[in-house]
Amino acid sequence: MSSKDKSTITFRWHNLYEMGRVAEACARLWRPPTVVLFEGDLGVGKTSLIQAVLPMWGVPGRVKSPTFDLVHMYEASSITVYHADLYRINQADELDALDLPEPRPHEILLVEWGAWIRDWYRERWDALLAMESDGLRVLRLQAHGTEPLQRVAEWEA
Amino acid sequence: MGNLKVLGIESSCDDTAIAVVEDGRTLVSQAAASSAKIHARYGGIVPEVAAREHTMAILPVLEETLERAQIPLAALDAIAVTEGPGLLGALLIGVTFAKALGVGLGIPVVGVHHLEAHLYANALIAPITFPALGLLVSGGHTTLVLWEGHGQLKVLGETRDDAAGEAFDKGARVLGLPYPGGPQIERLARTVEVKSGLRLPLANLGSKSLDFSFSGLKTATREMASTHPTRRAEIALALEDAVVRALVKITERALTQYPVADLYLAGGVTANGALRQAMADLAARRQVRLHLPPMGLCTDNAAMVAALGYYRLGQGHRMKNDDSARTTYSLGD
């Protein structure tokens, strides 16, 4: 299901059960404070993966697409999750209006179509989703910065 | 004293709209400035653009509304404003404007819920008959409610991922059509002369669930578009058909679980002709009365805000000095 090199962990899954296992792994790898920037074509499953991860952090209730509202915030007992979507953003100066945080110790920022703000965060994960043949999904999780790289080093594929 | 004139203000998203409604029933006048053209360029709603546009537009829109109504400011009895949910910058402009105007004129101000207000577009045709089912379908929402009285709403089901309008918007993007996607998809779908076998799947969330799910349609539409690149119109029709079928199926299930006599639709997707027809067929089949909002009041408008405001004022609701916009505001809260 997973393999890794120095900075990247790669996950593959065929179905919802396997995606749940990947979500579990992501929920353990992404610890607050952290930033995860998602990229991948329309319909590849960015929101679906995030929907599977959030309950594992104890976020109650429904996780809906943030495309229309741009940012959704979720609070659980010890964690605050910002789920943003930059799908509608077309130029960089529009990003300022979103008030995206520099994550504090209990905060996690998950951003779909997040390539826009790669320069903002030295410590982050780039989560690249793709669909291969027969509906096989691939997640390439690239660590950037000290803490994420440390997590990859400790990870047992 | 004549009829109660409520000024409605709506600025939760991309339109700055103001209207005067009498007794929650009669639309006296309305005006709006839409930044939809700017948004079309961006493929969606951009908050900074929206806030700037609202600031520029709100005063001229008020003046135009009053001019059309041929009444002075002093003739207003109360103000209703959308307080949420929506984009903070956009909401704040409407709320702040309403409060200032209320203080200046010495008249009450009431805040309303944007989605509940959508249902009240129907009150501009005839008073609401309770109990009823309400289906809100728009770019950001797909929500089914049991509506037992003014201010008494219970959410029965909603989308678990994308809204129905978002399915249209993203499907349109896949097919290379501009924003907003709903009217574009409908226009392209109507060009199909012979109905083809292309069909997109419906989500199955269990036989009792009143929730919706449209996110799977994105992948399915994309796959269909790459398999059949020359059949865009048929794909548009398949997408429209899948969205409509899902909405009708869950609404029919809700009518079985909550056998009320009246069904109200609201929201921008209600403008879709195929949905209107399919819901009319459902209503005939189930022998319920179907209520559709006036064609021009399906998308965001201020008349619906004023109509709901009238009823909330009657129930004693008032906006306090320190009340502000509510970006996340649950229906029935």
Side-chain angles (χ1 to χ4, degrees), chain A residues 14-106:
Chain A
H14 297 85
N15 53 44
L16 284 177
Y17 172 75
E18 289 178 3
M19 186 182 77
R21 302 276 306 279
V22 174
E24 266 176 59
C26 292
R28 274 183 283 134
L29 281 164
W30 303 334
R31 302 306 304 171
T34 202
V35 176
V36 188
L37 306 181
F38 293 80
E39 280 293 321
D41 286 344
L42 208 58
V44 77
K46 297 180 291 297
T47 308
S48 299
L49 180 63
I50 290 168
Q51 283 175 326
V53 171
L54 261 58
M56 294 172 185
W57 289 330
V59 170
R62 198 151 280 176
V63 176
K64 287 188 274 191
S65 165
T67 299
F68 189 80
D69 300 327
L70 300 156
V71 187
H72 289 157
M73 189 187 74
Y74 301 92
E75 285 180 307
S77 54
S78 62
I79 196 169
T80 299
V81 183
Y82 294 88
H83 180 196
D85 189 342
L86 308 185
Y87 176 78
R88 294 172 182 274
I89 297 293
N90 229 39
Q91 53 189 50
D93 61 5
E94 292 158 11
L95 294 164
D96 299 337
L98 296 182
D99 287 330
L100 294 175
E102 176 71 38
R104 285 175 288 184
H106 63 289

Side-chain angles (χ1 to χ4, degrees), chain B residues 81-325:
Chain B
V81 62
T82 302
E83 62 179 331
L87 305 168
L88 180 64
L91 287 169
L92 272 176
I93 287 153
V95 168
T96 309
F97 189 80
K99 283 163 69 177
L101 197 57
V103 170
L105 296 173
I107 56 176
V109 179
V110 64
V112 306
H113 189 288
H114 179 74
L115 292 189
E116 188 179 1
H118 265 295
L119 286 169
Y120 279 81
N122 289 289
L124 294 155
I125 293 181
I128 309 298
T129 313
F130 300 112
L133 280 180
L135 176 66
L136 301 159
V137 271
S138 66
H141 303 276
T142 305
T143 305
L144 195 54
V145 299
L146 179 62
W147 197 11
E148 295 186 287
H150 296 298
Q152 290 175 271
L153 293 96
K154 185 176 153 219
V155 175
L156 301 178
E158 59 184 339
T159 181
R160 294 188 181 179
D161 37 57
D162 301 357
E166 184 177 344
F168 281 138
D169 286 338
K170 291 192 169 168
R173 173 85 66 106
V174 167
L175 295 174
L177 299 168
Y179 177 91
Q184 299 287 337
I185 293 284
E186 183 171 14
R187 204 166 300 139
L188 187 57
R190 292 294 86 78
T191 65
V192 176
E193 282 165 12
V194 184
K195 221 174 171 183
S196 69
L198 291 187
R199 240 168 123 81
L200 289 162
L202 297 193
N204 183 359
L205 303 175
S207 63
K208 293 213 173 84
S209 171
L210 297 179
D211 282 342
F212 302 88
S213 169
F214 293 106
S215 74
L217 277 178
K218 290 189 298 251
T219 318
T221 305
R222 204 165 55 108
E223 280 169 1
M224 192 178 270
S226 72
T227 315
H228 306 287
T230 58
R231 299 169 72 180
R232 287 167 66 251
E234 290 165 75
I235 296 166
L237 180 61
L239 175 60
E240 181 185 72
D241 181 62
V243 171
V244 168
R245 270 189 295 133
L247 292 171
V248 168
K249 179 177 134 186
I250 302 302
T251 304
E252 178 152 31
R253 187 178 289 168
L255 284 169
T256 307
Q257 294 179 19
Y258 302 89
V260 296
D262 291 87
L263 170 63
Y264 288 89
L265 300 197
V269 179
T270 307
N272 179 279
L275 178 64
R276 286 182 168 236
Q277 185 56 53
M279 284 292 177
D281 295 344
L282 167 67
R285 192 162 71 240
R286 304 292 305 208
Q287 301 201 312
V288 300
R289 285 183 294 269
L290 174 67
H291 307 269
L292 296 162
M295 217 38 188
L297 300 178
C298 292
T299 52
D300 290 354
N301 65 85
M304 66 187 199
V305 173
L308 170 54
Y310 171 82
Y311 291 99
R312 283 181 62 79
L313 285 160
Q315 290 176 328
H317 294 283
R318 299 290 183 273
M319 209 168 203
K320 294 183 207 70
N321 268 343
D322 54 351
D323 284 346
S324 189

